[in-house]
């Protein structure tokens, strides 16, 4: 064994990367490239000895999550000239990554690339939704050395040696448009391309259906999700690039149906554990950069964002059977719960960021209390998994006390109204079982949908919860009506206004919020759980529930999910009053398949007539692994 260690005898010199920043971009002077720097032919006469410095603290561990790679090369669709010698390249798609340029120019020619998600009506670049942390003229001022406006910008200085090809190596951007200045002559479509980058996640899900708008929405969500997986699941790939807990709570299920997230989310849990505050609180974001909006002291985050730490552990257990992550983080979770209990007022919380981006008045105190209740319920769940009976009883008692206090404080007796009775409030109550009378609460929610003309007014959390509530109430037609609304507010409104990734807000974000933000991508979970009906009954898909809810207006849907146990397929169609579903159940598992059917009508399984139990419009077929084609009577002819 030979050890080659760096010390002060090593030599060092400057290189062509003269500036780099993960937000601001990279400047590369190709004239400073050092020929033969890594072999014996190089001229090292001007090189200087290395200087010993203090190394980084912490523990060096191997990277378990997938590496970030270039996963797609994107060709631009057009180039326009916004003003003399300024060119705007339209990549046709919002994404995360960098541009790669190819040109011939004289030594010292300086090419500047600025990036943005949109263009202004006059054709100039709109970089305002992508400036780092809103540091912009007339807005937030940055610290020492920060530019007045912190836009994304790369600079390449040519060496003048034939054709040169370059892309940045130490940054990435979120963009659809690239502004080019300094180009000799006019760039052509062959001179620039986009390099899409993301964590190289394995795809686990597929979905398509008879509504092309929904297929387009599913595709837009994939672009959005992949734009926001660079070592952390970020809120946006340009302006912030941070791992916000609330966004993960809202979209973890949707991400997992589409991608293998076991290692990625394990790393996210570790990030939150590493950032746990001395008093026990969990930060709003991890890795932590100091943001602590509406937290509870000691730089802890608000409850909806602290929830990511235990919530992701629950998802890793439910989807992948990972009990070890709960064991390894149980002490930290208990410390978090001790902190929260010490900060509670009358066993409740009253402040939080709440249902971020909801259109109606946010029920802040209710949501804070509900998130506290969620933490306590997870404590009981974790203790049960780990056979810690004393802790299980403790957290059961705590959660029951919180629930009782919420009902007493926020439920308007005999009305079904919860707190301010907005869609957010009603959905929170139904999702958490806090109403004390679900049928009345459900009716109030329906009236809220009607009042909004079957449009949503929900925010980051209640949008995800809404689809669970509608699924549990067999309200597929309502869900479909809401999702397919073509105008504001809604997903198709984004698409109809040219969005190629999801916006951070229901309204078009022109100068502030991001145009590439995953939180409203929670609708993609509905595609899998409700339209395809693929769900885990228990044991990380060891027992599978297939319960498709085909809405009016949709003629067919098909897709798959590659679970821990193997590939699950589900595809159905409605033809001439018949409902046919084809299902694949992987080996060493069993399933319960719910088939939409009229009572007292037979079901045909692989051509054989079956008389099955019937419940709420479904015939119920229990089976083991295998391939099944099942036909039923869907409507009276």
């Amino acid at each position: 064994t030979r050890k080659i260690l760096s010390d002060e005898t090593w030599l060092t010199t400057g290189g062509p990367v003269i500036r780099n920043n993960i937000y601001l971009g990279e400047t590369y002077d190709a004239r400073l490239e050092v020929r033969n720097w890594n072999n014996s032919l190089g001229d090292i006469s001007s090189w200087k000895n290395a200087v010993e410095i203090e190394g980084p603290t912490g523990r060096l561990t191997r990277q378990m999550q997938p590496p970030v790679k270039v996963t797609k090369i994107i060709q631009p669709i057009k180039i326009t000239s916004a003003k003399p010698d300024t060119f705007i390249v339209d990549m046709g798609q919002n994404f995360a990554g960098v541009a790669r340029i190819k040109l011939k120019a004289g030594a010292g020619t300086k090419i500047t690339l600025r990036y943005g998600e949109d263009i202004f009506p006059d054709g100039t670049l709109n970089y305002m939704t992508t400036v780092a942390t809103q540091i912009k003229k007339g807005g937030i001022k940055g610290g020492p050395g920060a530019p007045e406006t912190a836009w994304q910008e790369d600079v390449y200085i040519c060496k003048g040696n034939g054709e040169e090809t370059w892309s940045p190596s130490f940054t990435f951007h979120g963009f659809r448009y690239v502004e080019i200045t300094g180009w000799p002559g006019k760039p052509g479509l062959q001179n620039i391309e986009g390099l899409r980058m993301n964590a190289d996640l394995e795809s686990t899900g597929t979905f398509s259906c008879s509504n092309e708008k929904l297929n387009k929405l599913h595709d837009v969500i994939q672009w959005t999700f992949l734009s926001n997986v660079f070592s952390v699941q970020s809120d946006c790939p340009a302006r912030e690039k941070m791992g916000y807990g609330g966004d993960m709570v809202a979209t973890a299920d949707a991400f997992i149906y589409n991608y293998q997230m076991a290692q990625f989310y394990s790393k996210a849990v570790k990030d939150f554990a590493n950032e746990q505050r001395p008093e026990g609180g969990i930060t709003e974001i991890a890795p932590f950069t100091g943001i602590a909006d509406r937290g509870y002291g000691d730089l802890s985050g608000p409850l909806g964002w602290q929830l990511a730490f235990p919530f992701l552990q629950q998802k890793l257990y439910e989807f992948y059977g990972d009990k070890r992550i709960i064991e390894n983080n149980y002490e930290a979770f208990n410390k978090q719960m001790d902190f929260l209990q010490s900060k509670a007022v009358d066993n409740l919380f009253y402040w939080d960021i709440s249902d971020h981006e909801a259109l109606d008045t946010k029920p802040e105190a209710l949501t804070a209390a509900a998130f506290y209740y969620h933490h306590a319920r997870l404590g009981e769940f974790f203790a049960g998994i780990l056979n810690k009976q004393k802790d299980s009883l403790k957290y059961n008692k705590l959660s029951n006390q919180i629930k009782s206090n919420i009902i007493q404080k926020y439920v308007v007796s005999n009305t079904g109204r919860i707190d301010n009775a907005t869609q957010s409030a009603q959905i929170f109550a139904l999702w958490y079982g806090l109403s004390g009378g679900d049928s009345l609460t459900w009716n109030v929610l329906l009236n809220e949908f009607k009042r909004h003309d079957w449009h949503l007014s929900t925010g980051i959390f209640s949008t995800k919860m809404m689809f669970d509530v509608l699924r549990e109430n067999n309200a597929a037609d309502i869900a479909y009506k809401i999702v397919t609304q073509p105008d504001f507010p809604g997903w198709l409104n984004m698409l109809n206004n040219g969005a190629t990734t999801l916006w951070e807000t229901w309204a078009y974000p022109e100068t502030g919020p991001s145009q590439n933000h995953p939180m409203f991508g929670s609708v993609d979970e509905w595609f899998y759980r409700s339209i395809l009906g693929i769900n885990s009954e228990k044991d990380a898909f060891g027992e599978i529930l297939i319960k498709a809810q085909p809405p009016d207006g949709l003629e067919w849907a098909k897709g798959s999910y590659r679970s821990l146990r193997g590939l699950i397929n589900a595809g159905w169609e409605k033809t001439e009053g018949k409902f046919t579903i084809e299902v694949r159940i992987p080996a060493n598992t069993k399933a319960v398949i719910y088939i939409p059917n009229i009572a007292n009508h037979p079901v045909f399984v692989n051509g054989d007539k079956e008389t099955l139990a019937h419940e709420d419009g479904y015939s119920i077929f229990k089976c083991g692994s295998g391939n099944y084609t099942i036909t039923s009577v869907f409507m009276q002819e």
Side-chain angles (χ1 to χ4, degrees):
T1 300
R2 185 180 182 187
K3 294 183 179 179
I4 302 175
L5 307 176
S6 59
D7 58 24
E8 292 174 334
T9 67
W10 281 47
L11 299 176
T12 178
T13 190
V17 179
I18 59 177
R19 185 192 80 156
N20 72 278
N21 183 280
I22 201 70
Y23 292 95
L24 303 179
E26 180 177 322
T27 298
Y28 187 100
D29 189 342
R31 299 170 299 177
L32 300 178
E33 291 176 350
V34 181
R35 294 185 62 190
N36 299 317
W37 68 268
N38 58 349
N39 62 46
S40 61
L41 300 177
D43 179 7
I44 63 173
S45 60
S46 63
W47 290 29
K48 298 178 180 180
N49 287 91
V51 177
E52 183 178 337
I53 63 169
E54 189 71 27
T57 58
R59 181 182 177 189
L60 182 65
T61 59
R62 61 188 178 274
Q63 175 177 303
M64 296 299 292
Q65 68 184 54
V68 173
K69 293 183 177 180
V70 175
T71 56
K72 192 176 186 65
I73 297 177
I74 299 170
Q75 303 300 327
I77 60 174
K78 66 179 177 179
I79 298 177
T80 57
S81 182
K83 50 188 175 181
D85 300 322
T86 300
F87 304 97
I88 302 293
V89 180
D90 183 359
M91 305 303 298
Q93 172 66 52
N94 200 343
F95 65 100
V98 295
R100 181 162 62 192
I101 57 174
K102 182 190 301 182
L103 77 160
K104 289 182 180 180
T109 301
K110 180 180 177 182
I111 311 299
T112 300
L113 310 174
R114 280 201 307 173
Y115 300 81
E117 294 181 304
D118 212 342
I119 54 174
F120 288 118
D122 64 359
T124 59
L125 181 72
N126 179 358
Y127 50 78
M128 299 296 281
T129 64
T130 62
V131 294
T133 63
Q134 301 284 18
I135 297 172
K136 62 183 74 170
K137 187 176 181 179
I140 296 173
K141 293 186 181 300
E148 184 179 49
T149 299
W151 52 58
Q152 307 171 110
E153 180 181 85
D154 295 326
V155 175
Y156 180 71
I157 302 172
C158 299
K159 57 190 171 186
N161 185 17
E163 186 173 83
E164 303 178 45
T165 301
W166 177 80
S167 62
S169 299
F170 298 103
T171 191
F172 71 94
H173 309 297
F175 66 101
R176 171 175 172 171
Y177 297 90
V178 186
E179 177 198 83
I180 302 178
T181 55
W183 195 277
K186 181 180 179 180
L189 295 177
Q190 74 280 4
N191 294 117
I192 185 169
E193 56 192 4
L195 306 181
R196 187 187 76 177
M197 300 161 60
N198 54 267
D200 192 21
L201 300 171
E202 176 190 351
S203 178
T204 54
T206 63
F207 171 81
S208 61
C209 67
S210 58
N211 187 325
E212 283 303 317
K213 286 284 189 180
L214 293 189
N215 294 336
K216 176 62 176 176
L217 175 59
H218 176 64
D219 183 60
V220 164
I221 290 170
Q222 305 317 303
W223 281 97
T224 309
F225 281 3
L226 290 178
S227 295
N228 286 282
V229 280
F230 283 70
S231 301
V232 299
Q233 181 187 317
S234 59
D235 58 324
C236 59
R239 179 164 54 85
E240 293 189 280
K241 308 179 192 274
M242 298 180 191
Y244 280 89
D247 296 68
M248 297 183 209
V249 171
T251 59
D253 291 86
F255 264 97
I256 291 172
Y257 270 107
N258 285 290
Y259 303 102
Q260 169 56 261
M261 300 295 291
Q263 298 296 347
F264 196 97
Y265 278 149
S266 294
K267 189 263 187 183
V269 169
K270 182 179 287 187
D271 285 343
F272 281 108
N274 287 343
E275 301 292 7
Q276 186 168 32
R277 303 302 300 159
E279 294 180 18
I282 298 297
T283 54
E284 181 176 341
I285 59 176
F288 186 50
T289 62
I291 295 176
D293 298 326
R294 308 291 289 163
Y296 310 104
D298 196 31
L299 294 179
S300 65
L303 271 165
W305 278 252
Q306 288 204 40
L307 183 60
F309 177 55
F311 185 81
L312 290 179
Q313 295 176 52
Q314 180 192 23
K315 293 301 155 185
L316 289 167
Y317 180 79
E318 288 180 351
F319 280 88
Y320 306 116
D322 189 352
K323 177 180 176 181
R324 183 173 55 183
I325 197 154
I326 296 172
E327 292 175 329
N328 292 344
N329 290 280
Y330 191 68
E331 182 178 346
F333 172 75
N334 278 324
K335 185 178 179 182
Q336 180 195 15
M337 287 302 300
D338 289 343
F339 170 77
L340 293 180
Q341 287 181 263
S342 74
K343 299 295 182 180
V345 178
D346 300 327
N347 212 25
L348 291 175
F349 280 83
Y350 295 88
W351 64 99
D352 191 75
I353 293 178
S354 191
D355 200 18
H356 178 53
E357 291 300 332
L359 297 176
D360 291 333
T361 302
K362 292 187 284 292
E364 182 179 344
L366 170 67
T367 59
F371 290 136
Y372 184 37
Y373 174 65
H374 196 159
H375 279 84
R377 288 292 304 272
L378 286 176
E380 181 182 357
F381 177 67
F382 292 163
I385 290 170
L386 301 178
N387 296 316
K388 295 181 180 292
Q389 187 174 4
K390 184 177 178 181
D391 283 359
S392 180
L393 292 172
K394 176 184 73 173
Y395 285 124
N396 174 268
K397 181 179 179 181
L398 175 63
S399 64
N400 286 336
Q401 289 173 341
I402 298 169
K403 180 177 182 179
S404 176
N405 290 351
I406 292 173
I407 292 173
Q408 182 178 351
K409 192 169 187 67
Y410 296 108
V411 174
V412 183
S413 298
N414 302 316
T415 66
R417 294 172 60 87
I418 313 298
D419 196 42
N420 64 2
T422 57
Q423 288 181 23
S424 295
Q426 299 302 118
I427 289 168
F428 261 75
L430 288 165
W431 200 74
Y432 282 113
L434 301 173
S435 66
D438 284 354
S439 60
L440 289 174
T441 309
W442 171 253
N443 289 334
V444 173
L445 175 61
L446 291 184
N447 287 331
E448 275 299 293
F449 287 142
K450 291 176 186 176
R451 188 172 73 84
H452 287 79
D453 194 23
W454 302 103
H455 290 71
L456 42 70
S457 64
T458 51
I460 180 173
F461 298 106
S462 62
T463 300
K464 175 214 164 27
M465 296 173 180
M466 175 181 71
F467 291 110
D468 292 330
V469 168
L470 295 176
R471 181 179 70 254
E472 290 161 5
N473 285 275
N474 290 323
D477 291 344
I478 294 175
Y480 188 77
K481 183 184 295 187
I482 291 171
V483 174
T484 56
Q485 292 290 353
D487 53 353
F488 173 84
W491 292 273
L492 299 192
N493 178 62
M494 298 184 195
L495 272 59
N496 292 336
N497 282 280
T500 60
T501 48
L502 296 183
W503 301 338
E504 183 179 358
T505 52
W506 293 118
Y508 165 67
E510 183 179 21
T511 59
S514 167
Q515 294 184 16
N516 191 346
H517 208 284
M519 69 186 189
F520 289 133
S522 54
V523 63
D524 216 68
E525 179 187 347
W526 175 67
F527 295 155
Y528 288 94
R529 286 197 190 276
S530 297
I531 293 183
L532 297 179
I534 300 175
N535 293 273
S536 177
E537 189 78 330
K538 66 177 184 177
D539 297 332
F541 288 90
E543 294 189 21
I544 298 164
L545 170 66
I546 303 292
K547 190 177 183 180
Q549 297 184 342
D552 287 343
L554 208 58
E555 299 306 314
W556 61 266
K558 62 182 178 180
S560 64
Y561 171 62
R562 187 172 295 281
S563 72
L564 179 74
R565 313 285 179 167
L567 185 66
I568 304 167
N569 284 335
W572 56 261
E573 63 176 345
K574 296 182 284 187
T575 53
E576 299 178 348
K578 305 288 185 182
F579 180 84
T580 301
I581 184 168
E582 295 185 354
V583 177
R584 174 181 174 177
I585 304 300
N588 301 312
T589 65
K590 53 186 177 180
V592 179
I593 303 175
Y594 281 69
I595 307 104
N597 192 29
I598 295 174
N600 302 317
H601 280 70
V603 167
F604 292 86
V605 180
N606 291 342
D608 296 329
K609 183 177 179 180
E610 300 276 356
T611 302
L612 304 173
H614 192 271
E615 174 185 297
D616 294 332
Y618 287 89
S619 291
I620 304 168
F621 176 64
K622 297 180 179 180
C623 61
S625 60
N627 297 320
Y628 302 93
T629 299
I630 306 173
T631 302
S632 65
V633 178
F634 187 60
M635 60 184 73
Q636 295 283 11
E637 295 182 1

